Structures are given as C-alpha cells and as structure tokens.
Amino acid sequence: MKKMLSIAFAWLSFNSLSAQNTSVQNIEPRLEALLAKMTLDEKIGQLNQVVGDISTGTEVRSDGLLAQIRAGKVGSVLSHTNFDNKTAIQQVAVRESRLGIPILFGFDVIHGYKTIFPIPLAQAATWNLAAIERAERIAAAEAAADGQHWTFSPMVDITHDPRWGRVMEGAGEDPWYGSLVAQARIRSFQGDDLSAVNTLAACAKHFAGYGFTEGGREYNTVDMSEQRLRQLVLPPFEAAVQAGCATFMNAFNTLNGVPASMNKHLVSDILRGEWGFRGLVVSDWNSFGETIIHGAAADDVDASAKCLSAGSDMDMAGGTFQRGLQKALAQGRVSEQQIDDAVRRVLRLKFALGLFDDPFRYLNPNRRAQTLEKPEYRQASREMAAESMVLLKNDGGLLPLDPKGPFRKIALIGPYVNSIGHKDYMSFWTLGLGNPQYDSTKVVTPAQALKPRLEEMGFEVTVTEVCLDANCDEKALSAALNAAREADLVIACLGERGIDCGESRCVSTLELPRGQERLLQVVSRNNKPTVMVLFNSRPLAFPWASENVPAILVAWQPGFEAGNALADVLTGSVNPSGKLTVTFPRNTGQIPLYYNHLNTGRPQANFGQMWTSGYLDVPNTPAYPFGYGLSYTTFGYSGLTLSKTAIGPGETLEVSVTVANTGKVTGQEVAQLYIRDPAADIARPVKELKGFEKIRLAPGERRTLTFKLSAKDLAYWNHEGRFKADSGQFRVFAGGNSVEVLEAEFELKE
Ligand code: BGC
C-alpha cells in the first residue's frame, strides 16, 4: 500500500473577463451606474434570451420580438442569421428601449461559420493545435463580421458513447487532450481582446456530464461518482476557466438526480466556488423550464428560484425567468442581490464586447463583405480536412493511387460520391449558412474534385451515385456492381448523411447505416481491390470491411473542401497524419469502449478466456484504438530513456524516445506518451495520455523527443476528495498509438 503524498494542487482561479486584455476601460463604475437605474422588470429582461430566425429546439415561438426588446424584456437574441435584421433589432434596443441597452447576439459557431471546416471531432484528429486555432480564428472573424458576439462553443464534453450524436462536437474520449483542445479553441475565439471586431466570446458547454447520458441517448439521465466526474468530465471545463472562457452553458441532463441547471454542487460550489469563475452562465435551450419536466421543480417560480440560486444566470429560449423570477423574489425564494449579480454578469460581458461604446461595431456591411468566405479561408479548411483524415488500413500499399501502378480504370461509387443535399460532408451545425435546408452547393464533392484530378494523372474514372433509399435499392446495387465490374479499382464513398450528425442525432447501432455493408459486399463480388472512404461523424463499426477491404480511410465530415481534401490524400499530395481521438469498436455491443479504462480484477488476456471480464462473441479489443492512424510511410520507435529512475514531488522527469521514418516518403507522426499507476490507493486507468508531439520526418530521418512529467501529471482525484499523486512505481509508455508502445518504469518518492 502506498502512502499518500500531500501534493494538493492549487488550481488557479481566474476572473474570466478581467483575464481579457479588453480595451474597454472602467467597466465596473459604468456598470453599477446603469444597474442603479434599472427596474426589476428591466433586470429580469437582461436575463432573457430569445430565439431569432433559426430554431433548433421545441420552444413556442414568441411573436413580437421587437416589441419585447422595446419594452426592455430581452437581453440577448440567439440563432439569428439575417444581417440587416440584426441591425434593425439593435437599433430598436439602443434607440427605443428606455435604457438603450444593446442586444447580445449568440450563435452556435461549431465548425466554421460561412466557411465550413471539418467537424470538431475531425479537427481533434489532426493533433495540430495550431491548425485548430487557425480554424477558430477564421470562424470568429466571419461570425463577428456578420454581427455575432458570442459563440456557444467549444463543446468540451468527454464521452465514451459514439451512439450519442454529439460525439462529433467534442475532442474525443481523453480529458487531458480534450483540455488542450478546449483551451486552443477558447484562445482563438476570444483572442486577447473581446472588444476586437474579429473575436467572439466563447462558451464552454455543457456543464456537466452530458457526454455520459445513459445509452448514448440525447437529453438522458447521467449518474456518476464524484471521482469519475472530477477525473474524466471536469478537467476540460476547468481548463476552459483557466483559459479565460467568458461564459459557460448548463447541460440538459440531470447529474446524480439533480438537473444541471439547478445543480448547486456544479455551478455554485465547483465552477464559481472552487474555480473562481466570474463569468456568465447561460442555460441550455429551455433547460430551466425542463427542470419541471424532469420532475425536480414544481412550476416556473420554483424552477426560477432553483436555477438562479444554483448560480445560473441567463434563460435561453424558455421564458421561465420571465414568468417566474419576479414571483420567486416576492416569495423570498431569491434575493434582489442574486438577481443583480446575474444581471451584472450579463452587462459585464456586453461592456467587455464594447457594445456600450458602439452597439453597431459588429454590424459594418463593408467589413462583412470583405471578411466572409475569403479564398484563404477555404484553403485553411482544405488543409485541415486533409490533415484530419485517418488511414485505418492500407494493405499492400494500395494507396496513394499510383498512375504507374497496375490500375487504369477507377470506379467511384456510393451514396456520398457526389451528394448534394442533407448537409452532406457537413453537419446539422452549419446554421451560419442560413437556410436550414441548405443544399450543400458550396461543397466540393469527391466526384467534382477527385475525378478530374485522377483523369489528369492518366486514370479513367466513372462515377456511380448509389441512392440507398428504400425504393431504389436493387437498381442501385446492380449499377454499382456493373461499374465495379468494368473497373480495376473501386473507391466506395460511404458513411452518414450530414444531417445525421449533431444534436438529437443519436443512433442505436454503429454498423454502416442504410445497407452500405451489403453494397460493399455486392461490389466486391468482382474481386476488384476496394478503397472504402467513410464520411462519418462518429466511430462506426464495419467488421466485414475491416476483414475484406484492403484500404480504409476515415474522412469524417470534412466541410466545404471535402472532395479536394480527399483528392489530396488519395493521390498522395498529402500524406495522411490524422490519428483517432475516439476508439472505434468492433460492434455496437462493445460500448462503452475506451482506452483509459480500469483493469478490473479479472482482465482478459486472450479472447475466449473463461472467468475473465469479457464477452463470448467478441474480443475486448477495439477495431481501431485511441491514438491510431497510418501513414504512407512507416515510423519506428526506439530508445525509451528516463532521465532518472526516481523523482521527488517537486522534481521533473524527462522521458526521451527516438522516432524514425522507416519508409520511403516524408510523413508526419503523432508520438504519444502515456502513464500508468499500477498500485495506487484506488484503481487507476491502464493508460492515461500525458504528452504528444507531432513531427515531420523525411525518409531515414530520426528525431529524439523529450517529454516532461512531474508529480502533477501523476495526480488524480482521490477518495478523500483531493487531487493527489501516490508515491511508488509508475509505468511510462511511448509509441504511435495507445496499444503499440515501448515501456519503462520509474518511482515517485515521498
Ligand atoms: C444545444 C446547445 C446549443 C443551443 C443553442 C441546444 O439545443 O444543446 O449546444 O448551443 O441549443 O442552439
């Protein structure tokens, strides 16, 4: 039994807004002077956020938006796209309401705004934080130029369940990496000045636990230990506070029985108390009102009292505070001081954004025209999409396509070879494009880009779109079969529709949807080598393809530049370097399957071993593990060396490993560092990511990388309710994914 070390880590508290180097000076006296003039109605109005011209929820649409604004009953408008209307709305707020308080416009800027980037999960697969920052800076510049002030992003929820449609919005299953991605996104949305015309206020969401909804079903129950919450769910949120994130959003779910919006433990104790967050907390869409439906509040008054008292501030889309807060005050359930504090947080954000100095600063039509959809933004999207693609299989070096190789005729087939509609290659979260039925005409499809590129290289290319609707199944299959028969090589573009990606897009099975496995099987009757390209928003399960298809590329939902990025990778002008940040299971029943699991008392060494923790019908191992991804070259790892065999609590250990490009072309590799505490005071994960570096190596080139570990990296939230590291032996692993690693040991001394 190890002894506990008293290494309590003082987590820094930040005032998120004062952490911003805002050019708006003297906010507090101006804010207090304004607050002193406000009636109770006007204060409650500032806590009310109403829906603009796009709805993603089930609210009852409120008529007379302008009349409400004129009456001082609205503090913020969300999901409004029309630029001219935004100007009109702001004019009414500023010129016709009694105190002229400007409206705060909030919007879901999730993977680009006008220029659509790969989905966030794909962005995370680049392991390139600089590229993620560049994407978010572009998204912020476009959104701010279009009159938005505030994005409801990043979603920093960790999840173990790819059935959950929102897995696409996060950074994957690892809390350490998720924290870095969260900070990168926040840094680039906000810049160092919220009042700059190319930045947005960020919002860390959904606080908290939403990624662990039972059965991966949207809006469902979450129940977890405090230890798991602290260790797995909260780190990216705390990292968000440390990065100066301006706002937080409640989650829809209950956490251990208490709806997150009225969860004092989460919002008051942890977020505001322990972490010192002083920014605004907004509800999720009617999540104050839904406390009643959860069965945890009696009515609007009760819900208002409970949510405000928990520390939440602004009511998104529900109108609960409008109906209930005044009465809650009259009944003594909340104090005017509590209301004032919430209003202060709203006003402080408006001041920091510079809205009191110039309410129209984000509504400049010239700047808008110059900023939106610049060609270089598309180029950035293309580069990121290519970098995010993950090569899962490449038997016999089938890829990249070589004009000097044995194949002349290529058949491009599948439902996603040239799809215009269903927001394909994107997601439901492309609201910034305006029209919810957006027809994807700005997307470059695989057929549009790949066909001419391959023809230029000397290949002959046919395109067979395969519709997979119930009506045309057999016809589609025979067209595909014929196309494959005529070809030397097949590229099958499969996956999911764009609109099946995002909120309320959960699935009960991960197997290739809409008969696509059958399509693959039929096509392969011709015995032509096949490349399976997946456009997907979540890990899918495709055991037949893994067994029978020689090359598999995960292209995710890549955004506007889908086809060009795919062509870059398939032709080898970009060597794939993406690696998974989520585990791909063999089948749906393996879920939850994640790399940083506990060992159990009976771990299974081999499939079929009885009396161990496993299944009769499938091994415990994933189809493709966390951190995995191939390249057109190969990399070798050697010489894992530690600077010391033991470190004290205040010391740093240096871990070195040499990575060599052992193949024939230049490539990029994501070298990863993991640790394990095999004999802690409570059971700890079999591996935990603690470092990575992405490097480019020419053929034959080798580089020694050095990672640093200190006691802080070894600490965990223990059964005494503290972050601590236990002294004793630790294992350290380095390699190109979470499974194939070199291993060494060291000791943490007391
Ligand atoms: C989602 C949030 C989103 C909000 C506003 C909700 O349904 O859960 O993530 O920010 O809608 O669109």
Side-chain angles (χ1 to χ4, degrees), residues 520-655:
L520 262 187
Q521 289 168 350
V522 166
V523 165
S524 68
R525 274 186 214 145
N526 295 300
N527 278 332
K528 301 293 167 65
T530 299
V531 178
M532 178 170 88
V533 175
L534 281 180
F535 293 100
N536 55 323
S537 64
R538 51 163 64 85
L540 294 173
F542 34 85
W544 189 88
S546 286
E547 188 80 4
N548 296 288
V549 173
I552 301 177
L553 180 74
V554 167
W556 310 108
Q557 303 292 11
F560 275 178
E561 289 290 314
N564 283 323
L566 180 66
D568 291 341
V569 171
L570 293 184
T571 60
S573 67
V574 171
N575 189 349
S577 65
K579 300 229 185 192
L580 302 178
T581 63
V582 274
T583 299
F584 273 44
R586 294 170 187 269
N587 67 24
T588 310
Q590 282 189 305
I591 296 167
L593 193 69
Y594 49 97
Y595 88 95
N596 47 357
H597 59 84
L598 301 185
N599 202 30
T600 81
R602 295 187 179 197
Q604 189 174 73
N606 300 304
F607 178 47
Q609 203 183 354
M610 289 309 286
W611 317 114
T612 63
S613 173
Y615 300 105
L616 288 179
D617 55 346
V618 68
N620 284 350
T621 51
Y624 304 97
F626 178 89
Y628 177 84
L630 301 174
S631 159
Y632 295 148
T633 189
T634 46
F635 296 99
Y637 285 75
S638 61
L640 179 63
T641 351
L642 309 187
S643 59
K644 299 171 187 161
T645 52
I647 54 166
E651 290 178 315
T652 300
L653 178 74
E654 294 193 349
V655 183

Side-chain angles (χ1 to χ4, degrees), residues 32 56 62 79 163 200 406 411 472 561 635 638 672 709 719:
E32 291 304 326
T56 62
S62 50
S79 299
R163 292 171 298 181
L200 298 171
C472 57
E561 289 290 314
F635 296 99
S638 61
Q672 300 155 43
L709 285 176
H719 54 293

